[in-house]
């Protein structure tokens, strides 16, 4: 792999993307089925970005292990990946398209991106994301700057004994073997640094508060 360049966007690059791109939405798929295996250091991540570009080339942010496939409207396209950015060309200018990036990301142990932690108290594995200030790109391919907001539709596949969480509630869960795919409701338009995911043998307690006039879940 070639040396990774400076991973931070310049102000000029960020401004250029804001001026030339409109992001309509993301579909994010994470496969965390093998996360509890210490021999596994990466996981599959798929980002489908619905966007309109006024130019034929787009730079996407992704700091991960590899980028395996890029499609535009389901057609495989050539791309360049330097370890920090995915350059995709041949985009029909001015037309809404769906760019799908299938890649492998690395589990983090430094609190950046998708952090994996083995609790010494119970020996179990827990995952949680930390996307600020620009670390969503460590577990999803995206346009990682706060002024390019868009809704996120997230799905997480994880061991069936685990709890999976994201920004929105689960709308459906489908089990296959020992893993379950959890689909979450779409978010409102968000900056990428607000994207969050957690998965593991967490426990959740819920209650309802009511003062007689107002009832809210806690």
């Amino acid at each position: 792999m070639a040396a990774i360049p400076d991973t931070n966007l310049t102000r000029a690059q960020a401004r250029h993307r804001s001026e030339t791109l409109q992001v309509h939405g993301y579909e994010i798929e994470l496969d965390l089925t093998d996360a509890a295996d210490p021999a596994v250091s990466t996981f599959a991540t798929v980002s489908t970005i619905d966007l309109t570009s006024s130019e034929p080339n787009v730079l996407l942010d992704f700091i991960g292990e590899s980028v395996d496939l890029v499609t535009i409207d389901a057609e495989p396209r050539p791309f360049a990946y330097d370890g920090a950015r995915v350059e995709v060309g041949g985009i029909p200018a001015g037309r809404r398209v769906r760019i799908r990036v299938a890649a492998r990301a690395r589990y983090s142990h430094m609190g950046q991106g998708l952090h994996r932690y083995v609790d010494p108290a119970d020996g179990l594995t827990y995952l949680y994301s930390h996307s600020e200030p620009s670390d969503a790109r460590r577990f999803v391919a995206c346009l990682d700057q706060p002024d390019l907001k868009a809704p996120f539709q997230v799905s997480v596949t994880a061991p069936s004994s685990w709890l999976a969480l994201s920004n929105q509630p689960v709308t459906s869960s489908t089990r296959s073997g020992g893993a379950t795919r959890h689909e979450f409701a779409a978010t409102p338009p968000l900056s990428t640094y607000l994207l969050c995911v957690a998965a593991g043998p967490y426990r959740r307690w819920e209650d309802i508060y009511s003062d007689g006039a107002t009832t809210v879940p806690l």
Side-chain angles (χ1 to χ4, degrees):
M1 179 185 293
I4 295 177
D6 183 359
T7 61
N8 294 317
L9 282 177
T10 66
R11 178 181 297 180
Q13 288 171 324
R15 182 181 293 119
H16 181 75
R17 291 204 305 197
S18 295
E19 292 171 348
T20 59
L21 294 175
Q22 182 181 3
V23 187
H24 308 291
Y26 289 90
E27 295 174 14
I28 305 298
E29 305 169 64
L30 303 178
D31 187 348
L32 311 177
T33 305
D34 299 325
D37 184 346
V40 177
S41 61
T42 65
F43 58 95
T45 173
V46 178
S47 298
T48 301
I49 309 170
D50 185 349
L51 60 77
T52 302
S53 174
S54 63
E55 298 185 343
N57 296 309
V58 170
L59 283 178
L60 306 175
D61 301 308
F62 180 66
I63 299 176
E65 181 70 16
S66 64
V67 175
D68 304 315
L69 178 68
V70 173
T71 65
I72 299 176
D73 292 336
E75 293 291 331
R77 294 295 181 92
F79 63 91
Y81 179 53
D82 62 9
R85 297 185 183 91
V86 185
E87 182 175 6
V88 184
I91 297 171
R95 181 165 70 81
R96 187 166 173 169
V97 297
R98 288 167 59 84
I99 302 177
R100 183 179 185 271
V101 181
R104 293 201 69 83
R106 305 183 192 99
Y107 290 111
S108 167
H109 301 285
M110 302 295 290
Q112 298 171 299
L114 190 61
H115 181 85
R116 180 168 65 176
Y117 174 70
V118 178
D119 192 331
D122 59 17
L124 300 178
T125 300
Y126 297 84
L127 308 177
Y128 63 86
S129 65
H130 194 283
S131 300
E132 297 180 10
S134 58
D135 285 324
R137 58 186 171 156
R138 295 183 184 275
F139 65 104
V140 297
C142 60
L143 295 147
D144 207 359
Q145 60 188 77
D147 60 343
L148 290 176
K149 297 178 176 64
F152 284 83
Q153 184 95 47
V154 177
S155 71
V156 174
T157 302
S160 296
S161 59
W162 282 15
L163 181 67
L165 301 167
S166 189
N167 297 76
Q168 294 286 82
V170 171
T171 57
S172 67
S173 296
T174 304
R175 182 165 182 165
S176 177
T180 297
R181 179 184 171 98
H182 304 278
E183 303 274 354
F184 297 89
T187 71
L190 296 179
S191 297
T192 46
Y193 72 83
L194 293 175
L195 176 63
C196 66
V197 171
Y202 293 102
R203 295 294 179 264
R204 178 170 59 193
W205 288 266
E206 298 178 347
D207 205 346
I208 294 176
Y209 166 79
S210 177
D211 62 5
T214 303
T215 299
V216 295
L218 300 176

